[in-house]
Amino acid sequence: MEFLSKILFFVLFGMTCLLCLFFFLSSINVLIDAYGKKSESIIMGLAGVLVAIGLYISYQAIQDTNRYLYCSGILGITWLVALGVVLIGLFFFNGPLRWQ
């Protein structure tokens, strides 16, 4: 069971690192784009910061203890919080939707 929990943790950790990179690069891409909304850049940057904080907390928890399932739970909560921030931010704080 410990081997499977280690695999789960390291897979989630790698995917969360990629998610953090995606949010930061997406934020920079929207800032560079002349027609992009600045609020989208702020929302993506905030989500990237939250994911980076979750990665840091998970990494510190795994250094102190070897509870891989606990740290996988931290990463799962990080994914849910980032998803919530992005959805709420894009739906409510991004301005009116314009349908083509």
Side-chain angles (χ1 to χ4, degrees):
M1 185 69 185
E2 184 179 348
F3 179 71
L4 293 175
S5 62
K6 280 184 183 182
I7 289 174
L8 176 68
F9 171 73
F10 286 118
V11 167
L12 275 175
F13 194 82
M15 288 173 54
T16 308
C17 288
L18 290 175
L19 183 70
C20 183
L21 188 65
F22 168 76
F23 280 138
F24 282 130
L25 292 179
S26 177
S27 175
I28 292 170
N29 185 27
V30 172
L31 274 177
I32 292 172
D33 187 17
Y35 297 106
K37 292 182 180 179
K38 302 304 179 206
S39 61
E40 285 182 12
S41 175
I42 293 170
I43 292 166
M44 293 294 177
L46 179 64
V49 168
L50 289 174
V51 170
I53 290 171
L55 278 170
Y56 177 75
I57 291 171
S58 172
Y59 181 75
Q60 290 300 321
I62 205 66
Q63 293 297 318
D64 294 338
T65 63
N66 286 332
R67 298 187 300 172
Y68 289 99
L69 285 177
Y70 173 73
C71 295
S72 297
I74 291 173
L75 291 175
I77 290 172
T78 300
W79 276 71
L80 291 176
V81 168
L83 178 69
V85 165
V86 169
L87 286 178
I88 289 171
L90 290 179
F91 282 138
F92 295 114
F93 300 112
N94 198 23
L97 293 174
R98 295 189 184 120
W99 299 98
Q100 300 294 341

